[in-house]
Amino acid sequence: MTVTPSPRDSIDVVVESKRELADGVAGLRLRRPDGAPLPAWEPGAHIDVELPGDLVRQFSLCGDPRDATAYDIAVRREVDGRGGSAAVHNVVQPGDALRISAPRNHFAFDDADRYLFVAGGIGITPILPMIAAAEARGAEWNLAYCGRSRRSMAFLAELQRYGDRVALHPSDEGRRLDVAAFLGEPALGAAVYCCGPAGLLDAALDASNAWPPGALRIERFEPIEATGPETSFEVELDSTGEVLEVPEGRTILEVVREAGVDIDSSCEEGTCGTCETVVLEGEPDHRDAVLSELERELGETMMICVSRCRGRRLVLDL
């Protein structure tokens, strides 16, 4: 399990530069004001960014992990979004001061004999440093990159140097991706990394049913629609033994905060991993978009902003 640093370990940065990476995609380079090194990170990591308007949003790091002087993020303008992308595109400018969290990683890049990468739209951001790492290891890899059009697909120039290992699938050219055909037959020792819109991730899940458990790793930018019951249950706080009732329609996070537990959170929709909490007893009803299928089966942690209980009681390390 990847350790999740507290967002209270916030870092003051300045926007060194802002540039257009593709139609509707803005790239920001962030540095400390004094030029001091930033915390180390590995491919797949993301940071929280505090934006104008009291907004906090999560963005994948897409630069070079070996460069401790700067973080690079890319942000697609979401017309029907909640205001975060609009703040980046319309308000944030070079020279602005921002605060960010230390990097967190629930999409860790593990060793494998071969890698298959599937990216849709802005989902290319966590994949880009993974490709560089695979290349540095001398590993075999291929990328299928989907987008509305070439003009909307960021980092095409950077990807050109990899030749035919990169297959572009712009929808406006009629080159829609057949995910099952791209993945091919299940292969021991191979890892599939997929990031993008829900439809692409669902197609990857369907296409990888026959693959070994854990071969597919996905990262979602959108919350998962809850389908389980909203019945009440109890949560016991291990530190004090206090038992709290979590009623229908309320979250564990809300209830424990009302009881005076100081716990960090960010997205509060199950996509960032900030509120991850250790489960000591009981069976979580996972409703987040962060944990892998294996992590869900183990039930060792849960995201208390959205997930619930399959039984009557959970004992949490709070």
Side-chain angles (χ1 to χ4, degrees), residues 125 228 241:
T125 50

Side-chain angles (χ1 to χ4, degrees), residues 37-54:
L38 289 160
W41 62 281
E42 296 180 351
H46 69 270
I47 56 172
D48 292 351
V49 181
E50 298 180 20
L51 296 168
D54 293 326

Side-chain angles (χ1 to χ4, degrees), residues 231-235 244-246 309-314:
T231 53
S232 64
F233 58 94
E234 294 176 345
V235 167
L244 306 173
E245 183 78 11
V246 181
C309 178
R310 292 191 180 276
R312 180 56 192 154
R313 177 180 290 200
L314 293 168

Side-chain angles (χ1 to χ4, degrees), residues 229-249:
E230 288 287 326
T231 53
S232 64
F233 58 94
E234 294 176 345
V235 167
E236 180 179 333
L237 309 182
D238 183 64
S239 63
T240 64
E242 183 178 5
V243 177
L244 306 173
E245 183 78 11
V246 181
E248 178 181 347

Side-chain angles (χ1 to χ4, degrees), residues 8-249:
R8 288 183 183 155
D9 301 330
S10 57
I11 303 164
D12 292 317
V13 295
V14 294
V15 181
E16 180 187 72
S17 62
K18 177 180 179 180
R19 62 192 180 104
E20 184 179 50
L21 300 176
D23 283 356
V25 180
L28 300 183
R29 173 158 286 190
L30 310 174
R31 293 185 184 271
R32 288 190 191 266
D34 60 1
L38 289 160
W41 62 281
E42 296 180 351
H46 69 270
I47 56 172
D48 292 351
V49 181
E50 298 180 20
L51 296 168
D54 293 326
L55 301 173
V56 179
R57 296 292 184 267
Q58 294 75 44
F59 302 109
S60 297
L61 294 173
C62 57
D64 184 350
R66 298 170 299 179
D67 181 3
T69 67
Y71 288 160
D72 291 301
I73 60 173
V75 183
R76 179 175 298 284
R77 183 189 292 275
E78 301 292 347
V79 177
D80 298 322
R82 297 176 296 138
S85 69
V88 171
H89 282 261
N90 300 337
V91 181
V92 174
Q93 298 298 330
D96 286 356
L98 298 174
R99 300 195 82 185
I100 64 173
S101 72
R104 299 193 302 275
N105 199 338
H106 284 279
F107 194 40
F109 185 60
D110 297 323
D111 288 333
D113 297 331
R114 181 183 177 221
Y115 299 97
L116 292 170
F117 300 110
V118 181
I122 201 63
I124 190 63
T125 50
I127 299 295
L128 200 66
M130 291 184 181
I131 290 173
E135 184 75 2
R137 295 175 187 177
E140 182 183 350
W141 64 268
N142 291 93
L143 165 69
Y145 182 13
C146 310
R148 293 190 301 271
S149 67
R150 291 176 188 262
R151 289 170 48 191
S152 71
M153 298 166 70
F155 304 113
L156 292 188
E158 290 87 337
L159 292 169
Q160 277 184 344
R161 67 177 181 269
Y162 297 124
D164 59 6
R165 281 177 291 179
V166 175
L168 303 181
H169 296 270
S171 297
D172 67 345
E173 297 178 16
R175 301 182 60 187
R176 300 187 69 86
L177 173 65
D178 182 336
V179 179
F182 174 70
L183 297 187
E185 294 297 319
L188 290 174
V192 181
Y193 283 85
C194 182
C195 185
L200 180 65
L201 302 185
D202 291 342
L205 284 167
D206 290 341
S208 64
N209 279 336
W211 283 65
L216 174 66
R217 298 92 186 275
I218 63 176
E219 182 170 59
R220 293 182 183 269
F221 294 143
E222 304 167 357
I224 296 175
E225 184 177 352
T227 57
E230 288 287 326
T231 53
S232 64
F233 58 94
E234 294 176 345
V235 167
E236 180 179 333
L237 309 182
D238 183 64
S239 63
T240 64
E242 183 178 5
V243 177
L244 306 173
E245 183 78 11
V246 181
E248 178 181 347

